[in-house]
Amino acid sequence: MIVLELDRVSKHYARGFLGRKQRVLTELSLTIEKGEVFGLLGHNGAGKTTTMRLILGLLRPDSGYVRVFGEEGATRSSLARIGYLGEETGLYPHLNAREMMQFAGELFRLEPKTIRSRKMSLLEAVGLKEKSRVKIRQYSKGMRQRLGIAIALMNDPEFLILDEPYSSLDPVGRRQLRKLLLSLKERGKTILMSSHIVPDVEAVCDRVGILSGGKIQKCLSLGEIYAHKSTPVEVTVSGADHRMFEGVDPGVSIVFRNPEAVVLRCEGRGIMKQLVSKIYAFGGEVLEIKPLKFGLEDYLLETLTATSSDGADTLASEIEELIHANTS
């Protein structure tokens, strides 16, 4: 069953005093199946938040269409089946977490018994049970983010949309969220999430789409990403002169050397086995063998650089943020 379908969706904003049109999305197409966890990656300003707002009906596309649960546009019945965490969580500072969850449950017109049981179980799941009576104005940014996640799950949604869910979370919060998302995945929930923290996307997503130039440039499974290229291996050696490995094999190169150790890189079927044999034949010892996996970070960097009209230099700061973003 198809939960979300975007077909050639375009969107522009009017910028500046003269209202000049700036295109954000250009004929973007995307399909997400039931039970799938889909990660949306892209540089700042790529259109990730705009895409999510179009799905929710907060914005209207200039062209193309959005279908959720087979219904065109955001209808009352489809929105009732969706949970949403925005980039900024709008919370009432004078309420505490219990009261905020109660309010959210009443907005969804849930039964009082359901609200009572669900609000406490969700607050416990996001690590706020002990702080549930503290006013929200006293919460840190990370605690507000945790509460926003709990509110997004209050109606037990079939389709969960998360815009930067790991933002402001500390390592403990990130681990709790990963565990929570994996449990939702096991229950067959459909999730669309954007994130700047690539390892967290890798941990939970089935497929990833890289958004650049107003459209999805790459859309593939994590398995395909790792199978895309061969995996080179680095071998750290001690007790052998680096000159013994110069020109020893076309598939072997010296990456680093000092009097104590040599780091060799090899790539190709069977080359590592031959290299290890030669190391011991030369009187050396293998200290470490480390595969250099071609991962999502590499794929992201490769795609954004290739689709940038300005070249890699102008994207350097944005890509650096995408790859090395932290939760502070």
Side-chain angles (χ1 to χ4, degrees):
M1 174 185 173
I2 296 176
V3 171
L4 173 67
E5 184 179 5
L6 304 179
D7 184 36
R8 294 168 292 178
V9 171
S10 297
K11 181 66 181 176
H12 78 272
Y13 293 112
R15 302 291 190 189
F17 179 74
L18 298 176
R20 292 177 178 174
K21 292 183 178 181
Q22 179 178 339
R23 184 74 66 177
V24 179
L25 300 177
T26 305
E27 297 192 343
L28 183 149
S29 296
L30 173 66
T31 301
I32 299 179
E33 300 281 346
K34 178 178 173 59
E36 185 176 22
V37 181
F38 190 92
L40 197 59
L41 291 172
H43 59 82
N44 293 335
K48 301 186 297 297
T49 298
T50 296
T51 301
M52 293 182 173
R53 289 176 178 173
L54 287 167
I55 295 168
L56 293 162
L58 300 175
L59 295 173
R60 291 186 177 181
D62 299 329
S63 61
Y65 67 82
V66 179
R67 284 182 178 161
V68 185
F69 296 111
E71 300 181 50
E72 189 163 345
T75 64
R76 179 176 293 182
S77 59
S78 65
L79 289 174
R81 302 162 71 182
I82 296 175
Y84 173 58
L85 173 69
E87 193 174 13
E88 296 180 3
T89 53
L91 304 171
Y92 292 106
H94 60 280
L95 299 181
N96 61 38
R98 291 180 183 227
E99 293 166 340
M100 194 70 216
M101 294 292 285
Q102 178 75 27
F103 179 59
E106 290 175 359
L107 285 177
F108 281 113
R109 299 181 180 180
L110 301 178
E111 295 291 332
K113 183 179 179 180
T114 302
I115 295 175
R116 282 195 300 272
S117 62
R118 194 172 291 172
K119 71 181 180 182
M120 293 313 300
S121 63
L122 286 171
L123 288 173
E124 183 175 8
V126 298
L128 287 179
K129 185 177 181 181
E130 301 301 321
K131 300 287 185 179
S132 63
R133 297 188 184 276
V134 177
K135 297 294 184 183
I136 294 172
R137 63 172 173 263
Q138 300 177 33
Y139 277 15
S140 66
K141 192 174 181 181
M143 292 170 70
R144 289 170 180 260
Q145 187 74 356
R146 292 173 186 232
L147 180 55
I149 293 165
I151 292 172
L153 295 169
M154 189 63 188
N155 62 327
D156 192 22
E158 297 174 48
F159 182 26
L160 187 60
I161 300 175
L162 304 173
D163 193 358
E164 302 291 346
Y166 292 97
S167 175
S168 305
L169 294 181
D170 56 23
V172 174
R174 287 173 59 188
R175 178 176 292 181
Q176 287 177 327
L177 179 56
R178 281 198 301 269
K179 183 178 179 181
L180 180 60
L181 292 178
L182 289 171
S183 69
L184 292 171
K185 180 178 178 179
E186 290 177 359
R187 290 172 55 194
K189 303 293 186 181
T190 306
I191 302 173
L192 169 64
M193 60 177 283
S194 68
S195 179
H196 282 175
I197 305 171
V198 175
D200 290 321
V201 173
E202 290 181 299
V204 300
C205 290
D206 300 305
R207 286 195 303 145
V208 172
I210 299 177
L211 183 61
S212 182
K215 60 181 67 177
I216 301 290
Q217 299 293 342
K218 298 287 183 180
C219 184
L220 65 169
S221 71
L222 271 296
E224 289 174 320
I225 290 175
Y226 299 135
H228 178 66
K229 292 191 176 183
S230 58
T231 303
V233 176
E234 284 190 354
V235 182
T236 304
V237 183
S238 68
D241 192 327
H242 69 85
R243 290 172 293 185
M244 297 178 180
F245 301 102
E246 292 177 353
V248 68
D249 194 292
V252 178
S253 59
I254 299 175
V255 178
F256 171 82
R257 64 175 184 266
N258 64 25
E260 286 75 35
V262 181
V263 179
L264 306 169
R265 181 173 297 173
C266 62
E267 185 173 358
R269 195 174 188 88
I271 291 180
M272 188 184 73
K273 183 177 180 180
Q274 298 173 16
L275 177 61
V276 171
S277 298
K278 290 176 181 178
I279 289 170
Y280 285 102
F282 292 155
E285 181 180 353
V286 176
L287 299 180
E288 182 184 31
I289 297 177
K290 181 173 66 175
L292 302 178
K293 181 177 66 176
F294 184 85
L296 184 53
E297 291 180 357
D298 305 283
Y299 215 101
L300 177 66
L301 177 63
E302 182 182 89
T303 303
L304 291 183
T305 302
T307 57
S308 170
S309 60
D310 299 323
D313 292 340
T314 58
L315 273 175
S317 61
E318 292 178 345
I319 294 172
E320 187 75 12
E321 180 184 354
L322 280 167
I323 294 177
H324 300 293
N326 55 48
T327 55
S328 59

